[in-house]
Amino acid sequence: MAFGQPRIEYKTNAQMRSMHAAGLVLSRALDDAVAAASPGKTTKDLDAVFAAVLKDAGATSNFLGYHGFPATICTSVNEEVVHGIPGGRVLQDGDILSIDGGAILDGWHSDSARTVIVGTADPEDQRLSDVTEAAMWHGISALATGKFVGDIGNAVDDYVSSVPGKPLGILEDYVGHGIGSEMHMSPDVPNYRTNHRGAKIRPGLCLAIEPMLVRGSIETAVLEDDWTVVTTDGKRSCQWEHSVAVHEKGIWVLSAPDGGAAKLAPLGVVPVPIP
């Protein structure tokens, strides 16, 4: 602890390369889970697909057993924001589904989430997903150019506020986090503008950046399973997430095969492989 704040774990280049290896396994597992998301499949089916990729790669899930969580991924459908438990729910045409997963390889963690619209997309749901994903990349871009962790939330908030059309809400109850030898570590990474500038961005810092947006009120509640978070007004929600490393040469998106190059290029950021 320093001045009442939890200590931040700064990684070496070798440790960050190990986290990238975990991130590549996670990316493949999410690829397969997203591809399997179709009408008639259950959320438990997707969990099995994801788990099989981890097993084949010799990785383990950092979700399974975490404070008693019973699955390898979170599957949050429609009004479910985060932490949905895979089970017998059958996916329907038009569902908006957020899949959040993680992997551990050689003791190092990765964490990432994607949203997919099952079957035929409602244009407003597609807009919600597109804006959430773009907000994530704006936050990642701010990690590359900013001085403090608070700059990430500022960038996410500024982008979401600038999008034309009906306003979307940014969840404030749940935020991003540090990641490394554990899945959830300091510092917190708000997805909205605050008066707190946060920790200084410096080499060795690794963060999971994960904006969650909703089509209605940002008020949420936790269901009786003690995990699933839902919007209280029943409006639909969305989550996108990547784990990102800062090193002395730049940033690298640990859970993206190209380090984030394709999505960051339009924002003027060129990610650099970890030396």
Side-chain angles (χ1 to χ4, degrees):
M1 301 282 284
F3 299 103
Q5 299 298 317
R7 182 183 67 84
I8 295 173
E9 176 187 83
Y10 295 97
K11 266 66 71 174
T12 66
N13 286 351
Q15 291 167 340
M16 289 187 283
R17 288 194 296 270
S18 293
M19 291 178 67
H20 184 218
L24 293 178
V25 173
L26 172 56
S27 180
R28 295 197 300 271
L30 284 171
D31 284 345
D32 285 9
V34 167
S38 58
K41 291 289 185 66
T42 67
T43 52
K44 188 175 181 180
D45 291 335
L46 306 187
D47 188 78
V49 167
F50 182 97
V53 176
L54 263 57
K55 183 178 179 180
D56 288 347
T60 56
S61 168
N62 44 18
F63 282 33
L64 181 62
Y66 182 77
H67 295 293
F69 191 77
T72 58
I73 55 174
C74 296
T75 50
S76 304
V77 185
N78 298 336
E79 76 285 354
E80 297 172 351
V81 183
V82 287
H83 305 160
I85 301 174
R89 181 168 184 165
V90 177
L91 296 174
Q92 306 294 321
D93 186 62
D95 281 345
I96 183 168
L97 167 68
S98 295
I99 303 174
D100 187 2
I104 309 170
L105 195 64
D106 297 327
W108 293 97
H109 291 247
S110 57
D111 191 5
S112 183
R114 302 180 194 171
T115 289
V116 59
I117 298 176
V118 180
T120 307
D122 178 312
E124 286 302 310
D125 286 340
Q126 188 64 61
R127 173 177 178 264
L128 173 66
S129 180
D130 291 346
V131 171
T132 307
E133 183 184 10
M136 175 190 67
W137 287 110
H138 277 77
I140 293 170
S141 175
L143 181 64
T145 59
K147 294 183 178 180
F148 298 96
V149 169
D151 294 333
I152 297 168
N154 294 345
V156 170
D157 202 328
D158 289 349
Y159 171 73
V160 174
S161 300
S162 75
V163 174
K166 188 174 181 180
L168 298 172
I170 303 172
L171 235 65
E172 297 181 2
D173 293 338
Y174 300 90
V175 298
H177 52 89
I179 187 170
S181 61
E182 300 176 21
M183 178 166 59
H184 291 124
M185 309 183 77
S186 294
D188 287 344
V189 186
N191 300 303
Y192 49 90
R193 184 176 287 277
T194 74
N195 293 325
H196 182 53
R197 66 184 187 180
K200 187 174 182 179
I201 296 171
R202 51 169 272 199
L205 181 67
C206 294
L207 303 176
I209 297 173
E210 52 176 325
M212 289 153 269
L213 270 59
V214 293
R215 286 177 56 178
S217 168
I218 63 172
E219 296 300 319
T220 64
V222 180
L223 297 184
E224 290 183 0
D225 62 16
D226 289 330
W227 280 105
T228 308
V229 178
V230 298
T231 57
T232 55
D233 61 6
K235 296 292 180 65
R236 294 190 166 194
S237 65
C238 178
Q239 176 195 20
W240 281 84
E241 176 184 18
H242 268 307
S243 297
V244 191
V246 180
H247 57 87
E248 63 268 24
K249 301 293 185 181
I251 68 163
W252 191 253
V253 180
L254 299 165
S255 45
D258 68 347
K263 294 291 188 177
L264 288 170
L267 301 177
V269 173
V270 179
V272 181
I274 301 162

